[in-house]
Amino acid sequence: MNAIEVHDLSKSYGKVRALSGISLEVENGEIFGLIGPDGAGKTTLFRILTTLLLADEGSASVNGLDVKKDYAAIRRQIGYMPGRFSLYQDLSVEENLEFFATVFGTTVEENYDVIKDIYSQIEPFKERRAGALSGGMKQKLALSCALVHKPSVLFLDEPTTGVDAVSRKDFWNMLARIKASGVTVFVSTPYMDEASLCDRVALIMHGKIIDSGTPAGIVAKYPYTLLSAKGTPMYPLLKYLRGKEGVINCFSFGAEHHLAIDSSVTDARKILSDMTEAGFKDCDVHRISPGIEDCFMNLAGENVRK
Amino acid sequence: MKEFLAFVKKEFRHILRDKRTMLIVLIMPIVQMILFGYAVRTEIEHARVDVVGDLTDPAVRKIVDRIDNNRYLDINEILPSVSMIPSRFEKNAADVVVCFGQDFGPELKKTGKGSVKIIGDGSDPNSAQMIVNYVTGVIRSEQTEISAALSGESSSGFSPSIQLMYNPAMKSSYNFVPGVMGLIMMIICSMMTSVSIVREKETGTMELLLVSPVKPIWIIISKALPYLIVSTINFITILLLSRYMMGVPIRGSLLLLSGVAVLFVFTSLSLGLLISIVASTQKSALLLSGMGLMMPTVLLSGIIFPCENMPGILQALSHLIPAKWFIIMVKKIMIQGAGFPYIIKEFSILAGMTAFLLTVSVKKFRIRL
């Protein structure tokens, strides 16, 4: 039995279609990443799976329990960390944790070993009000509260949004340890670079899953040769590259552009010389292996074209 | 049960840590009582009476002395001419002017008719009406004496003696104490409960609470409980203040009064719950309870404007205001000393309203987002 199963799930808010026909499966004991930009429908899917929203069509189950019919049973078995920091700001760290432990019918002492790894880091500040914690500490407290009743499935909705790079890395290490203790982790993130830290991922956009599988599997499916190009000025270069023959698509990636090319028509050397000829300065073009983001951009582009 | 206690503990922490709100909530009834008791009173005391007339005339003298001896009226100044009256009112130096006709006494003796004119400052119609009534009363009683003396009989005709059974001194506090009680309980229970539930929606903690195995009904009860206690404290404060500061009697049974208050608290709580279901932000909850509950309560429950004087449609509307029925009951119990049989109609109406509101709001309370 899979930890989470979703079949043809659809949900609309009035005219806006948040999810259209989503299907996915999350196996027991894995970290499954739901990756997509803001507004892709991640939070809606989370809320349906945590029994907070009802889907319009399709079915979904958590631990084999139907999200609509058996919502009460599911609520006892899952841990949920919503996207926003949603603990009580006017209660102290300790009081928050105790409250959520009691509400879920347990005590902090009983399950201390489950949260020890994470909670011990904020325990020195347990007298402090939750509202006065730093972003990273808030996140650790929220995770402790979601874990304190030993859930078998943990839902984390964008846990690393708005957290600094070091804390993000920290957080993923914690997730790895949580997974090691046998908990299934279903996590969403808008950061493509976090995909490689998941066992399996699903890419979501405009309420549709555009691809899913292991991060390596998704990258391996990338169909084109990928080049990275640099040169000044950047923006005219992007326009220039997009208009060139043999360039399938071109996207800006920070300080460089990634372009997919048809290798039977053109290659890196040709593009470099064309760029220099066209008057761009400090030019550099070399071949790179694609990342999840490249796959996402490509798939998203295909989806729009379709 | 342990879960429920944890909820209650949490709610108390929220309230106790928000010292400012707590202070406002506990002091509000005291301030309102003092405000209504001393600042917004409607009875008249020491109204200033100016006189235009010849004070050497014994008939005039007698009436003026009589006015001066009245506990509500004080003789202020003797004006030499009628033309000064407007400036006296403009300077707010007098509340009413009594003008005696020329040769008032001799005329009265000769023809049996005297002319007296009472000029009130009408810019505040309510108090002007009252002051003029007082002055008229004084003059009328003088008139009966004079006419008795003139006709030579001990008494002719009759004058009614008026007694207001339950409020002989016409104290306005008899009216506003029940009103303030209703208002305060309404504010505390509806506004505070709805805001505290909506706050959880707004900060996102409601999401977590709903995901927990705790039944929503317990969440609601734990939200209501602290405010039940706060309103009990307020109820006691108001009773103590009204009894010992305002001198409003509690003639009926205290137990019955408390029972009625508890019923009204439940009405207000269910209204607050209903608001928290409709509103999604604290601001809208505040506005809803402020405009949607407070305004109609103040205007239509008879605290300020008597329901009997309202146009038909507003009167019909006032029947829908729960506070109206509560206030009627409190008046009957506190001031008339009525027992349960005399308030059974109002009690049933309020109980029916409460049952209806409570079922609707508990039914509508969402188990999902």
Side-chain angles (χ1 to χ4, degrees):
Chain A
M1 186 186 69
N2 287 320
I4 300 169
E5 283 185 18
V6 177
H7 296 293
D8 282 327
L9 210 61
S10 295
K11 172 79 188 173
S12 302
Y13 299 107
K15 275 187 183 148
V16 183
R17 210 160 160 74
L19 294 178
S20 43
I22 278 199
S23 294
L24 55 86
E25 281 168 9
V26 178
E27 285 161 22
N28 262 318
E30 70 174 347
I31 297 183
F32 190 96
L34 186 64
I35 292 164
D38 293 343
K42 298 190 297 291
T43 301
T44 304
L45 180 58
F46 266 77
R47 286 184 172 165
I48 290 172
L49 289 176
T50 51
T51 76
L52 286 172
L53 276 183
L54 289 178
D56 299 334
E57 291 157 43
S59 66
S61 67
V62 177
N63 285 341
L65 299 162
D66 185 74
V67 289
K68 189 178 175 188
K69 212 168 65 226
D70 307 317
Y71 73 92
I74 291 179
R75 289 179 182 186
R76 268 189 289 274
Q77 297 175 13
I78 59 168
Y80 175 41
M81 185 172 149
R84 284 181 296 168
F85 175 72
S86 33
L87 299 173
Y88 297 103
Q89 313 255 359
D90 53 344
L91 297 189
S92 73
V93 169
E94 200 180 17
E95 285 162 353
N96 264 301
L97 190 64
E98 260 168 17
F99 172 69
F100 283 102
T102 322
V103 164
F104 281 89
T106 179
T107 58
V108 177
E109 293 76 37
E110 201 177 314
N111 286 338
Y112 189 75
D113 54 311
V114 182
I115 54 163
K116 195 182 147 211
D117 250 0
I118 305 149
Y119 185 55
S120 59
Q121 298 176 45
I122 47 171
E123 214 167 2
F125 313 102
K126 66 182 182 185
E127 304 285 321
R128 198 183 284 186
R129 303 258 166 110
L133 292 177
S134 71
M137 288 205 280
K138 276 181 183 171
Q139 183 204 38
K140 280 172 191 147
L141 176 59
L143 187 59
S144 304
C145 290
L147 269 177
V148 72
H149 60 288
K150 255 190 187 161
S152 62
V153 184
L154 186 59
F155 289 90
L156 306 170
D157 190 10
E158 297 200 17
T160 53
T161 301
V163 175
D164 69 79
V166 178
S167 296
R168 266 170 67 188
K169 213 170 155 221
D170 244 25
F171 190 81
W172 279 95
N173 286 334
M174 286 188 276
L175 288 193
R177 284 200 291 272
I178 291 168
K179 176 203 160 191
S181 68
V183 178
T184 309
V185 180
F186 187 56
V187 57
S188 74
T189 175
Y191 302 121
M192 304 284 167
D193 56 317
E194 291 179 343
S196 57
L197 301 164
C198 304
D199 297 319
R200 289 195 313 133
V201 296
L203 305 182
I204 185 170
M205 181 151 150
H206 298 318
K208 286 194 189 104
I209 303 277
I210 51 180
D211 201 1
S212 65
T214 60
I218 288 176
V219 170
K221 276 191 274 180
Y222 192 75
Y224 311 113
T225 307
L226 190 69
L227 302 179
S228 160
K230 239 196 244 177
T232 38
M234 284 291 276
Y235 188 64
L237 177 63
L238 182 71
K239 273 173 135 177
Y240 170 77
L241 289 172
R242 277 183 178 160
K244 269 197 77 63
E245 205 197 346
V247 175
I248 293 151
N249 59 47
C250 181
F251 298 105
S252 174
F253 273 68
E256 49 197 30
H257 300 308
H258 288 188
L259 54 156
I261 54 163
D262 183 349
S263 50
S264 63
V265 179
T266 187
D267 59 23
R269 209 170 319 149
K270 187 165 183 306
I271 286 176
L272 179 63
S273 65
D274 284 358
M275 273 163 60
T276 327
E277 228 169 80
F280 291 101
K281 294 191 182 66
D282 313 316
C283 292
D284 175 41
V285 178
H286 59 269
R287 202 181 157 159
I288 52 165
S289 49
I292 288 281
E293 194 161 0
D294 296 305
C295 300
F296 186 91
M297 297 301 265
N298 181 43
L299 289 165
E302 272 175 18
N303 233 297
V304 169
R305 254 172 271 138
K306 257 189 257 167
Chain B
M1 197 61 212
K2 229 167 81 188
E3 286 92 336
F4 174 63
L5 285 180
F7 261 105
V8 174
K9 204 155 100 187
K10 180 199 76 136
E11 290 307 325
F12 271 105
R13 280 188 175 136
H14 285 321
I15 294 178
L16 293 177
R17 286 197 188 158
D18 192 357
K19 294 231 165 58
R20 222 174 314 163
T21 309
M22 193 67 207
L23 209 67
I24 291 172
V25 162
L26 288 181
I27 289 185
M28 186 166 54
I30 300 173
V31 172
Q32 284 215 5
M33 289 292 279
I34 292 173
L35 262 180
F36 276 101
Y38 292 103
V40 208
R41 48 169 68 196
T42 48
E43 62 254 54
I44 307 292
E45 250 166 43
H46 302 294
R48 295 157 301 170
V49 185
D50 278 6
V51 176
V52 182
D54 182 11
L55 271 192
T56 52
D57 185 336
V60 172
R61 181 92 234 171
K62 204 170 163 216
I63 295 176
V64 169
D65 281 345
R66 211 169 175 137
I67 290 173
D68 210 10
N69 287 333
N70 189 294
R71 57 187 282 216
Y72 302 114
L73 304 171
D74 287 338
I75 290 294
N76 198 21
E77 211 163 303
I78 310 301
L79 305 181
S81 121
V82 188
S83 62
M84 279 186 71
I85 296 172
S87 75
R88 294 288 292 168
F89 284 149
E90 273 159 32
K91 279 186 240 157
N92 192 24
D95 296 311
V96 67
V97 182
V98 181
C99 311
F100 294 93
Q102 254 181 344
D103 303 321
F104 177 79
E107 277 287 316
L108 193 64
K109 267 197 191 121
K110 214 162 72 199
T111 64
K113 280 192 181 113
S115 85
V116 184
K117 197 178 194 178
I118 302 166
I119 302 170
D121 175 357
S123 54
D124 176 358
N126 282 342
S127 59
Q129 186 64 52
M130 270 176 149
I131 295 168
V132 168
N133 280 348
Y134 282 135
V135 177
T136 318
V138 171
I139 292 177
R140 188 163 296 148
S141 58
E142 176 66 23
Q143 188 190 9
T144 38
E145 260 176 45
I146 291 173
S147 55
L150 278 184
S151 61
E153 287 161 36
S154 58
S155 127
S156 75
F158 60 89
S159 61
S161 117
I162 297 164
Q163 187 199 353
L164 293 168
M165 182 121 145
Y166 296 111
N167 188 359
M170 288 267 280
K171 279 193 189 164
S172 58
S173 52
Y174 281 42
N175 186 41
F176 77 76
V177 164
V180 167
M181 207 184 276
L183 209 56
I184 296 275
M185 305 233 274
M186 193 86 171
I187 299 173
I188 303 294
C189 296
S190 317
M191 198 181 266
M192 303 299 279
T193 323
S194 64
V195 165
S196 106
I197 293 179
V198 172
R199 184 171 48 212
E200 301 235 14
K201 273 197 206 173
E202 214 178 54
T203 56
T205 41
M206 197 45 120
E207 245 175 283
L208 281 178
L209 295 186
L210 288 178
V211 167
S212 81
V214 174
K215 287 221 169 69
I217 184 81
W218 291 114
I219 302 179
I220 296 173
I221 295 176
S222 68
K223 285 270 171 210
L225 199 66
Y227 295 110
L228 191 74
I229 293 173
V230 172
S231 33
T232 309
I233 298 173
N234 283 335
F235 178 68
I236 295 169
T237 323
I238 295 174
L239 278 190
L240 286 177
L241 281 179
S242 66
R243 177 76 191 80
Y244 294 105
M245 201 173 83
M246 315 283 168
V248 178
I250 305 171
R251 297 206 178 98
S253 125
L254 194 59
L255 196 72
L256 184 61
L257 190 60
S258 313
V260 167
V262 168
L263 175 66
F264 185 62
V265 164
F266 275 103
T267 323
S268 310
L269 283 176
S270 49
L271 274 171
L273 205 57
L274 215 54
I275 290 172
S276 74
I277 290 161
V278 180
S280 53
T281 61
Q282 292 183 61
K283 227 180 259 164
S284 57
L286 266 176
L287 268 176
L288 265 175
S289 42
M291 302 303 282
L293 286 183
M294 293 281 297
M295 282 268 288
T297 302
V298 170
L299 295 179
L300 294 178
S301 68
I303 301 178
I304 299 180
F305 310 110
C307 293
E308 293 75 19
N309 294 354
M310 290 174 192
I313 187 155
L314 285 183
Q315 254 186 56
L317 214 57
S318 78
H319 292 322
L320 295 175
I321 307 287
K324 178 189 167 177
W325 305 107
F326 172 70
I327 291 169
I328 292 176
M329 279 193 277
V330 172
K331 273 187 193 162
K332 282 192 176 175
I333 298 169
M334 273 181 81
I335 292 157
Q336 299 187 343
F340 187 67
Y342 297 94
I343 57 162
I344 205 150
K345 176 185 140 207
E346 289 84 5
F347 193 87
S348 329
I349 292 173
L350 195 61
M353 277 181 175
T354 312
F356 173 73
L357 289 171
L358 214 56
T359 350
V360 170
S361 50
V362 168
K363 267 231 173 86
K364 286 271 167 189
F365 193 83
R366 271 166 271 181
I367 52 163
R368 299 171 201 276
L369 273 187

PDB file of all heavy atoms in Angstrom, chain A residues 119-133:
ATOM      1  N   TYR A 119      14.278  19.563  18.142  1.00  0.00           N
ATOM      2  CA  TYR A 119      13.857  20.400  19.269  1.00  0.00           C
ATOM      3  C   TYR A 119      15.045  20.801  20.146  1.00  0.00           C
ATOM      4  O   TYR A 119      15.051  21.908  20.696  1.00  0.00           O
ATOM      5  CB  TYR A 119      12.793  19.673  20.095  1.00  0.00           C
ATOM      6  CG  TYR A 119      12.219  20.522  21.199  1.00  0.00           C
ATOM      7  CD1 TYR A 119      11.656  21.758  20.914  1.00  0.00           C
ATOM      8  CD2 TYR A 119      12.252  20.104  22.523  1.00  0.00           C
ATOM      9  CE1 TYR A 119      11.132  22.552  21.911  1.00  0.00           C
ATOM     10  CE2 TYR A 119      11.731  20.895  23.539  1.00  0.00           C
ATOM     11  CZ  TYR A 119      11.179  22.113  23.221  1.00  0.00           C
ATOM     12  OH  TYR A 119      10.672  22.902  24.207  1.00  0.00           O
ATOM     13  N   SER A 120      16.039  19.921  20.245  1.00  0.00           N
ATOM     14  CA  SER A 120      17.179  20.245  21.105  1.00  0.00           C
ATOM     15  C   SER A 120      17.876  21.524  20.638  1.00  0.00           C
ATOM     16  O   SER A 120      18.492  22.222  21.428  1.00  0.00           O
ATOM     17  CB  SER A 120      18.163  19.080  21.129  1.00  0.00           C
ATOM     18  OG  SER A 120      18.607  18.814  19.823  1.00  0.00           O
ATOM     19  N   GLN A 121      17.746  21.834  19.348  1.00  0.00           N
ATOM     20  CA  GLN A 121      18.393  23.041  18.832  1.00  0.00           C
ATOM     21  C   GLN A 121      17.695  24.314  19.311  1.00  0.00           C
ATOM     22  O   GLN A 121      18.313  25.378  19.382  1.00  0.00           O
ATOM     23  CB  GLN A 121      18.391  23.029  17.299  1.00  0.00           C
ATOM     24  CG  GLN A 121      19.179  21.863  16.720  1.00  0.00           C
ATOM     25  CD  GLN A 121      19.063  21.836  15.215  1.00  0.00           C
ATOM     26  OE1 GLN A 121      19.184  22.857  14.551  1.00  0.00           O
ATOM     27  NE2 GLN A 121      18.833  20.651  14.667  1.00  0.00           N
ATOM     28  N   ILE A 122      16.381  24.216  19.581  1.00  0.00           N
ATOM     29  CA  ILE A 122      15.682  25.432  20.033  1.00  0.00           C
ATOM     30  C   ILE A 122      15.337  25.366  21.513  1.00  0.00           C
ATOM     31  O   ILE A 122      14.802  26.316  22.066  1.00  0.00           O
ATOM     32  CB  ILE A 122      14.398  25.689  19.200  1.00  0.00           C
ATOM     33  CG1 ILE A 122      13.589  24.408  19.055  1.00  0.00           C
ATOM     34  CG2 ILE A 122      14.725  26.283  17.866  1.00  0.00           C
ATOM     35  CD1 ILE A 122      12.227  24.643  18.449  1.00  0.00           C
ATOM     36  N   GLU A 123      15.686  24.233  22.147  1.00  0.00           N
ATOM     37  CA  GLU A 123      15.324  24.073  23.550  1.00  0.00           C
ATOM     38  C   GLU A 123      15.914  25.165  24.453  1.00  0.00           C
ATOM     39  O   GLU A 123      15.260  25.584  25.412  1.00  0.00           O
ATOM     40  CB  GLU A 123      15.715  22.687  24.055  1.00  0.00           C
ATOM     41  CG  GLU A 123      14.727  22.179  25.071  1.00  0.00           C
ATOM     42  CD  GLU A 123      14.897  20.698  25.368  1.00  0.00           C
ATOM     43  OE1 GLU A 123      15.813  20.079  24.806  1.00  0.00           O
ATOM     44  OE2 GLU A 123      14.115  20.189  26.169  1.00  0.00           O
ATOM     45  N   PRO A 124      17.141  25.665  24.154  1.00  0.00           N
ATOM     46  CA  PRO A 124      17.666  26.744  25.002  1.00  0.00           C
ATOM     47  C   PRO A 124      16.757  27.970  25.045  1.00  0.00           C
ATOM     48  O   PRO A 124      16.837  28.774  25.968  1.00  0.00           O
ATOM     49  CB  PRO A 124      19.002  27.090  24.349  1.00  0.00           C
ATOM     50  CG  PRO A 124      19.382  25.872  23.595  1.00  0.00           C
ATOM     51  CD  PRO A 124      18.111  25.217  23.174  1.00  0.00           C
ATOM     52  N   PHE A 125      15.887  28.103  24.030  1.00  0.00           N
ATOM     53  CA  PHE A 125      15.020  29.294  23.982  1.00  0.00           C
ATOM     54  C   PHE A 125      13.581  28.936  24.312  1.00  0.00           C
ATOM     55  O   PHE A 125      12.654  29.589  23.857  1.00  0.00           O
ATOM     56  CB  PHE A 125      15.066  29.916  22.584  1.00  0.00           C
ATOM     57  CG  PHE A 125      16.446  30.066  22.045  1.00  0.00           C
ATOM     58  CD1 PHE A 125      16.950  29.169  21.111  1.00  0.00           C
ATOM     59  CD2 PHE A 125      17.260  31.100  22.478  1.00  0.00           C
ATOM     60  CE1 PHE A 125      18.230  29.307  20.624  1.00  0.00           C
ATOM     61  CE2 PHE A 125      18.545  31.235  21.992  1.00  0.00           C
ATOM     62  CZ  PHE A 125      19.034  30.333  21.063  1.00  0.00           C
ATOM     63  N   LYS A 126      13.383  27.889  25.093  1.00  0.00           N
ATOM     64  CA  LYS A 126      12.011  27.396  25.242  1.00  0.00           C
ATOM     65  C   LYS A 126      11.093  28.344  26.006  1.00  0.00           C
ATOM     66  O   LYS A 126       9.883  28.238  25.909  1.00  0.00           O
ATOM     67  CB  LYS A 126      12.012  26.011  25.895  1.00  0.00           C
ATOM     68  CG  LYS A 126      12.507  25.981  27.324  1.00  0.00           C
ATOM     69  CD  LYS A 126      12.489  24.544  27.804  1.00  0.00           C
ATOM     70  CE  LYS A 126      12.939  24.475  29.253  1.00  0.00           C
ATOM     71  NZ  LYS A 126      13.037  23.077  29.695  1.00  0.00           N
ATOM     72  N   GLU A 127      11.696  29.285  26.742  1.00  0.00           N
ATOM     73  CA  GLU A 127      10.873  30.256  27.471  1.00  0.00           C
ATOM     74  C   GLU A 127      10.431  31.412  26.572  1.00  0.00           C
ATOM     75  O   GLU A 127       9.576  32.193  26.923  1.00  0.00           O
ATOM     76  CB  GLU A 127      11.668  30.854  28.637  1.00  0.00           C
ATOM     77  CG  GLU A 127      12.222  29.838  29.600  1.00  0.00           C
ATOM     78  CD  GLU A 127      11.140  29.272  30.496  1.00  0.00           C
ATOM     79  OE1 GLU A 127      10.272  30.058  30.907  1.00  0.00           O
ATOM     80  OE2 GLU A 127      11.144  28.048  30.740  1.00  0.00           O
ATOM     81  N   ARG A 128      11.083  31.499  25.412  1.00  0.00           N
ATOM     82  CA  ARG A 128      10.826  32.661  24.561  1.00  0.00           C
ATOM     83  C   ARG A 128       9.491  32.518  23.834  1.00  0.00           C
ATOM     84  O   ARG A 128       9.087  31.431  23.461  1.00  0.00           O
ATOM     85  CB  ARG A 128      11.965  32.780  23.539  1.00  0.00           C
ATOM     86  CG  ARG A 128      12.038  34.156  22.921  1.00  0.00           C
ATOM     87  CD  ARG A 128      13.105  34.255  21.879  1.00  0.00           C
ATOM     88  NE  ARG A 128      14.461  34.356  22.442  1.00  0.00           N
ATOM     89  CZ  ARG A 128      15.535  34.566  21.696  1.00  0.00           C
ATOM     90  NH1 ARG A 128      15.419  34.663  20.376  1.00  0.00           N
ATOM     91  NH2 ARG A 128      16.722  34.644  22.249  1.00  0.00           N
ATOM     92  N   ARG A 129       8.819  33.643  23.604  1.00  0.00           N
ATOM     93  CA  ARG A 129       7.574  33.616  22.832  1.00  0.00           C
ATOM     94  C   ARG A 129       7.883  33.250  21.387  1.00  0.00           C
ATOM     95  O   ARG A 129       8.875  33.716  20.829  1.00  0.00           O
ATOM     96  CB  ARG A 129       6.906  34.998  22.845  1.00  0.00           C
ATOM     97  CG  ARG A 129       6.606  35.522  24.218  1.00  0.00           C
ATOM     98  CD  ARG A 129       5.147  35.350  24.570  1.00  0.00           C
ATOM     99  NE  ARG A 129       4.953  35.552  25.996  1.00  0.00           N
ATOM    100  CZ  ARG A 129       4.333  36.602  26.529  1.00  0.00           C
ATOM    101  NH1 ARG A 129       3.819  37.513  25.747  1.00  0.00           N
ATOM    102  NH2 ARG A 129       4.198  36.732  27.822  1.00  0.00           N
ATOM    103  N   ALA A 130       7.024  32.468  20.809  1.00  0.00           N
ATOM    104  CA  ALA A 130       7.268  32.003  19.441  1.00  0.00           C
ATOM    105  C   ALA A 130       7.384  33.174  18.466  1.00  0.00           C
ATOM    106  O   ALA A 130       8.118  33.107  17.484  1.00  0.00           O
ATOM    107  CB  ALA A 130       6.159  31.069  18.996  1.00  0.00           C
ATOM    108  N   GLY A 131       6.654  34.258  18.746  1.00  0.00           N
ATOM    109  CA  GLY A 131       6.698  35.408  17.858  1.00  0.00           C
ATOM    110  C   GLY A 131       8.055  36.080  17.817  1.00  0.00           C
ATOM    111  O   GLY A 131       8.370  36.792  16.880  1.00  0.00           O
ATOM    112  N   ALA A 132       8.887  35.835  18.850  1.00  0.00           N
ATOM    113  CA  ALA A 132      10.186  36.496  18.924  1.00  0.00           C
ATOM    114  C   ALA A 132      11.314  35.620  18.382  1.00  0.00           C
ATOM    115  O   ALA A 132      12.482  35.947  18.528  1.00  0.00           O
ATOM    116  CB  ALA A 132      10.476  36.885  20.376  1.00  0.00           C
ATOM    117  N   LEU A 133      10.969  34.502  17.758  1.00  0.00           N
ATOM    118  CA  LEU A 133      12.012  33.616  17.224  1.00  0.00           C
ATOM    119  C   LEU A 133      12.445  34.087  15.837  1.00  0.00           C
ATOM    120  O   LEU A 133      11.701  34.770  15.138  1.00  0.00           O
ATOM    121  CB  LEU A 133      11.468  32.192  17.105  1.00  0.00           C
ATOM    122  CG  LEU A 133      11.163  31.430  18.396  1.00  0.00           C
ATOM    123  CD1 LEU A 133      10.568  30.081  18.050  1.00  0.00           C
ATOM    124  CD2 LEU A 133      12.417  31.243  19.222  1.00  0.00           C
TER     125      LEU A 133
END
